[in-house]
């Protein structure tokens, strides 16, 4: 009915206003942090990836992307960052790129463990029928430097107004002096979705660095049910290589 539709629209408007305030706050804190940052606190990377992926799902529909990231880590545990990936339009919705903003706090526990809490904003550029942008809360428990567990939550997954919970185990063991393994095993759960309610995903690969260069090779997988939401050619298994250069 009219009242119900009006109420939903008002709620969406309030949600968008809240999102704008949160993003503005993150950007403001980020700018203040940069102004107060020391050279050792900042890290700027530029590079290329053969396939921009997130939790096993291709964000670029198998196309390569130029990418840049800027991170600030304060000695007291506060961290802020941003990442942008751009490239030629890909897929039916002409996806041109993605950008992420995040802020959080890292707190050591004892000699090896640590807790981490963060808020991230995911933004997408393309010919989408509606905004795909959304906010996500995340918590991580680091058992040690190699092993961690994470839990993420959003109530507006890819702008659909649906809840989404993602849990994963992450392992980065040292293989040789300068070569590390990468393993992520995760599960995405959408409790109020009538389709694709559970999506298994995993990544496995290796990462190494030389001087200012960073190289990563990985195999990324997500259940094909993910394509119901993300579109064709975004799930299944795929190899991807990523090369980044530390500008400072």
């Amino acid at each position: 009915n009219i009242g119900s539709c009006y109420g939903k629209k008002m709620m969406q408007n309030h949600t968008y206003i809240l999102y704008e305030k949160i993003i503005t706050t993150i950007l403001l804190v980020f700018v203040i942090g940069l102004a107060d940052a020391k050279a050792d606190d900042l890290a700027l990377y530029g590079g290329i990836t053969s396939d921009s992926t997130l939790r096993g799902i291709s964000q670029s529909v198998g196309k390569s992307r130029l990418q840049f990231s800027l991170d600030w880590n304060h000695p007291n545990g506060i961290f802020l960052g941003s990442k942008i990936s751009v490239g030629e339009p890909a897929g039916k919705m002409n996806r041109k790129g993605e950008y992420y903003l995040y802020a959080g706090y890292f707190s050591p526990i004892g000699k090896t463990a640590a807790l981490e809490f963060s808020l991230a904003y995911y933004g997408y550029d393309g010919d989408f029928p509606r905004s795909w942008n959304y906010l996500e809360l995340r918590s991580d428990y680091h058992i040690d430097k190699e092993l961690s567990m994470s839990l993420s939550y959003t109530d507006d997954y890819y702008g659909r107004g649906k809840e989404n919970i993602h849990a994963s185990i992450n392992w980065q063991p040292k293989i040789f002096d300068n070569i590390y393994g990468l393993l992520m095993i995760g599960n995405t759960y959408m409790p109020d979705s009538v389709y694709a309610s559970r999506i298994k995903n995993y990544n496995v690969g290796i990462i190494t660095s030389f001087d200012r260069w960073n190289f990563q090779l990985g195999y990324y997988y997500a259940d094909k049910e993910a394509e119901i939401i993300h579109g064709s050619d975004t799930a299944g298994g795929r190899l991807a290589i990523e090369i980044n250069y530390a500008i400072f």
Side-chain angles (χ1 to χ4, degrees):
N1 57 46
I2 296 177
S4 176
C5 292
Y6 179 75
K8 290 181 179 179
K9 188 171 183 180
M10 287 294 293
M11 185 176 295
Q12 289 177 344
N13 289 337
H14 286 307
T15 301
Y16 294 146
I17 292 172
L18 177 61
Y19 280 11
E20 290 176 358
K21 289 182 178 179
I22 292 175
I23 298 308
T24 301
T25 302
I26 292 177
L27 289 174
L28 180 60
V29 174
F30 189 61
V31 171
I32 294 174
L34 291 180
D36 187 50
K38 299 177 182 178
D40 293 341
D41 300 333
L42 282 172
L44 175 63
Y45 289 87
I48 187 171
T49 178
S50 63
D51 192 345
S52 179
T53 63
L54 177 65
R55 294 166 187 163
I57 298 170
S58 174
Q59 308 293 289
S60 59
V61 198
K63 296 292 184 71
S64 61
R65 286 274 195 262
L66 291 174
Q67 56 187 23
F68 301 90
S69 63
L70 180 63
D71 297 287
W72 173 63
N73 295 278
H74 195 277
N76 66 10
I78 296 175
F79 62 88
L80 302 165
S82 63
K83 180 179 180 180
I84 181 171
S85 301
V86 294
E88 62 177 295
K92 293 182 179 179
M93 290 178 283
N94 293 318
R95 305 184 191 192
K96 303 177 184 70
E98 311 84 44
Y99 59 92
Y100 313 129
L101 300 171
Y102 48 90
Y105 179 72
F106 180 90
S107 177
I109 302 174
K111 294 183 179 180
T112 60
L115 278 175
E116 182 179 325
F117 302 96
S118 60
L119 175 67
Y121 181 78
Y122 296 85
Y124 297 88
D125 182 21
D127 300 331
F128 303 112
R130 67 188 179 285
S131 173
W132 272 33
N133 303 350
Y134 67 97
L135 277 172
E136 182 181 80
L137 292 170
R138 173 169 171 159
S139 63
D140 292 79
Y141 175 62
H142 299 266
I143 299 172
D144 52 35
K145 291 183 178 180
E146 295 184 351
L147 186 62
S148 67
M149 298 178 290
S150 68
L151 184 66
S152 305
Y153 171 82
T154 180
D155 64 352
D156 191 26
Y157 189 56
Y158 285 90
R160 289 175 171 266
K162 300 289 186 180
E163 289 184 311
N164 178 276
I165 300 168
H166 183 267
S168 68
I169 296 175
N170 311 278
W171 188 35
Q172 190 170 323
K174 185 176 182 179
I175 301 175
F176 298 110
D177 283 346
N178 201 32
I179 300 178
Y180 293 84
L182 294 172
L183 177 65
M184 186 281 289
I185 301 174
N187 188 51
T188 297
Y189 176 55
M190 286 166 279
D192 57 353
S193 178
V194 296
Y195 53 83
S197 60
R198 293 180 185 271
I199 299 172
K200 295 186 293 296
N201 47 82
Y202 64 84
N203 311 336
V204 59
I206 56 173
I207 184 170
T208 187
S209 59
F210 176 75
D211 195 16
R212 289 178 172 266
W213 293 95
N214 179 282
F215 304 90
Q216 182 173 322
L217 174 65
Y219 178 81
Y220 303 86
Y221 173 85
D223 286 343
K224 293 292 284 184
E225 286 82 357
E227 295 187 349
I228 298 174
I229 295 175
H230 299 273
S232 58
D233 299 323
T234 58
R238 65 191 67 236
L239 279 171
I241 185 170
E242 186 174 322
I243 302 173
N244 291 295
Y245 179 78
I247 300 171
F248 59 77

